[in-house]
Amino acid sequence: MSREWLLDEDGRPIADALVLSHPEQYERLRHVCPEAAPTAVLAGDPCWDRMLAARPYRERFRRALGVGRGQRLLVLTSTWNPQSLLGDDGDDVLPALLPRLTSEFPADEYRFAAVLHPNIWHGHGPGQLRAWLDRARRAGLALVDPLHGWRQALLAADAVIGDHGSVTYYAAALGTPVLLGAAPLTGLAPDAPVHTFVRTAPRLNPALPLLPQVESLIARHQPSPEHAQFISSTPGESAPRLRHLFYDLIGIPEPDTPARLEPLPLPPYEPARRTVPLLVLTRLLGAGEVTVTRYAGPHPAPYDTGEAHTAVHEDTREADQLDCADVVFRYGDADDPRFGSPAHWTAEALDRHPHCALAAYVTGPASCVVRTRCGALLRVDARPGADAADPAAYASALHAWLAAGKSPQELYGPGLTVRTGGTVHRVTVTPA
């Protein structure tokens, strides 16, 4: 709301109608640029209205990103500004955070998604952006469509790391815990609600471990209704108000049918597909029970312990790591003719990688076929109705069980219990 953006060279308002979502914006406009005040129209916020209407479908949006029960979705968001989370005026916060997120956060307990301003995509180009985020994406980061997917990601989020951009403020208005990784106040009107939010919101401390900060944020979070109140003074009314304005400006009669907004679409299914080598820590807890903690980074968090092994996707770019992998795995349809069959591929993988102890072909979101070095061909499935993890984690649990000198036959009846964080996954193990 600056005069140079609102008035032309003759001091007249550029816009025929300036749509505002809240009276406090009108008061600021009247104070900063009274010449433009007569063009102001209070018409709400269609973006906010679409998110409010889609809130009942939060679990669907989470499942679209492969977020299961017991998992948390952490959304990283950056606006278009040198001082933003992805800005180059200072500490390069986001590029520094990405490798730490995969090293410090267990892969089966946290899912990450990045929502970046459209101008970042257009300013640098999609190719450059994907190149910058390449390793993070191979470690499981979802790069969200900047126009059509970001609202759904916000609705699905358990926490957000952001900056002074509008997406971060939308997250706070939804009641989602927010940590500010960048918090410049320059360029924000001192009397604007977003200024107060940026000044008072919790800060991320890059010098400290990240996981405890996020867990503490979520545990202590108390949503503030004030943020939502300033998003729109007329929630749910933007469609009729905007259509009335548009037809009035055009000068033709408004249709008799109700004005409605397009519902937010369900994004395509995009589970995490980690192709970087995974460091896996396991512990046997008892009869048929194994804890599995996987990291998509080179070093585990210092507070984790257990027997370590390496699990590597066959399509990894770090192909040299396949020769020393304990578990080699891939994802595919059971009837994909390119791999012959899960039985054929697992035999081929063990033959190609003689130091590998176990090969796993993941055939679906809850199933995999596993071949051991001693030749046993096994099917591992999540029990019906049980919480499902990435089946590659089941393969690592089975590897830990066998490495401890146990036999697969011991699991045929009772099955295998796999723990990832606080979530228990009960799976069956049967001859394939």
Side-chain angles (χ1 to χ4, degrees):
M1 289 194 185
S2 302
R3 296 178 64 86
E4 59 267 29
W5 292 101
L6 298 173
L7 304 178
D8 64 17
E9 60 219 12
D10 297 320
R12 295 174 300 191
I14 295 172
D16 294 312
L18 184 63
V19 176
L20 307 177
S21 66
H22 196 280
E24 72 83 18
Q25 298 168 7
Y26 175 75
E27 292 303 320
R28 286 193 288 120
L29 174 67
R30 194 168 58 85
H31 175 73
V32 173
C33 187
E35 297 92 335
T39 68
V41 179
L42 282 172
D45 184 337
C47 181
W48 178 244
D49 288 352
R50 293 178 78 196
M51 285 194 281
L52 292 180
R55 291 186 98 166
Y57 307 109
R58 180 175 188 265
E59 288 304 318
R60 293 183 187 177
F61 300 145
R62 290 171 65 81
R63 287 194 293 268
L65 284 166
V67 181
R69 286 178 290 184
Q71 292 182 305
R72 286 171 170 168
L73 173 64
L74 183 58
V75 171
L76 313 164
T77 178
S78 177
T79 191
W80 172 250
N81 187 289
Q83 295 177 303
S84 67
L85 197 70
L86 191 59
D88 58 4
D89 184 16
D91 300 325
D92 288 335
V93 180
L94 185 59
L97 285 181
L98 289 173
R100 294 183 57 194
L101 292 172
T102 56
S103 292
E104 297 182 30
F105 287 73
D108 296 299
E109 299 169 45
Y110 278 86
R111 174 80 159 114
F112 301 98
V115 172
L116 306 178
H117 194 286
N119 283 356
I120 296 177
W121 287 79
H122 295 297
H124 298 292
Q128 178 64 76
L129 191 58
R130 290 190 174 95
W132 282 337
L133 301 181
D134 173 68
R135 198 202 183 275
R137 294 173 65 219
R138 293 188 291 115
L141 176 77
L143 190 53
V144 177
D145 185 288
L147 298 179
H148 304 295
W150 67 269
R151 302 169 189 84
Q152 297 91 320
L154 274 194
L155 288 166
D158 292 288
V160 169
I161 296 178
D163 52 25
H164 59 300
S166 58
V167 174
T168 309
Y169 192 79
Y170 275 126
L174 288 168
T176 305
V178 171
L179 273 178
L180 294 184
L185 292 173
T186 55
L188 299 177
D191 54 346
V194 69
H195 187 282
T196 303
F197 165 70
V198 171
R199 183 169 47 83
T200 59
R203 297 286 199 277
L204 180 75
N205 187 340
L208 297 177
L210 303 178
L211 179 58
Q213 293 185 68
V214 171
E215 291 183 333
S216 176
L217 171 78
I218 294 173
R220 300 181 182 183
H221 178 63
Q222 295 292 332
S224 172
E226 191 175 89
H227 302 315
Q229 291 171 3
F230 282 115
I231 288 283
S232 173
S233 60
T234 57
E237 298 181 22
S238 63
R241 287 173 177 257
L242 287 170
R243 191 179 72 175
H244 178 77
L245 169 64
F246 298 154
Y247 275 84
D248 185 58
L249 288 172
I250 297 171
I252 60 176
E254 190 175 354
D256 295 331
T257 55
R260 304 189 189 280
L261 295 172
E262 190 72 20
L264 292 180
L266 182 63
Y269 182 52
E270 187 184 355
R273 288 289 184 259
R274 300 175 180 90
T275 60
V276 297
L278 299 174
L279 179 63
V280 187
L281 301 179
T282 61
R283 283 183 294 131
L284 270 64
L285 300 181
E289 188 168 353
V290 181
T291 64
V292 176
T293 309
R294 303 189 302 166
Y295 293 94
H299 305 291
Y303 37 77
D304 265 335
T305 59
E307 295 295 322
H309 71 264
T310 304
V312 184
H313 193 293
E314 186 185 38
D315 293 339
T316 185
R317 191 171 300 172
E318 292 83 353
D320 58 305
Q321 296 299 304
L322 286 166
D323 291 334
C324 55
D326 300 285
V327 175
V328 173
F329 65 95
R330 75 164 304 108
Y331 302 89
D333 294 332
D335 58 353
D336 190 329
R338 296 173 298 174
F339 304 111
S341 67
H344 177 83
W345 178 86
T346 52
E348 184 183 71
L350 289 179
D351 184 59
R352 180 175 290 115
H353 307 292
H355 299 294
C356 170
L358 184 147
Y361 188 106
V362 178
T363 57
S367 303
C368 64
V369 174
V370 169
R371 188 182 295 274
T372 68
R373 177 56 65 182
C374 64
L377 186 65
L378 308 169
R379 184 175 180 87
V380 183
D381 300 278
R383 291 187 183 274
D387 288 333
D390 178 357
Y394 305 157
S396 281
L398 182 59
H399 167 72
W401 176 261
L402 299 175
K406 309 288 187 179
S407 71
Q409 288 81 5
E410 296 175 63
L411 303 174
Y412 286 174
L416 181 64
T417 299
V418 182
R419 291 184 177 269
T420 57
T423 306
V424 176
H425 314 275
R426 303 194 187 281
V427 302
T428 61
V429 179
T430 55

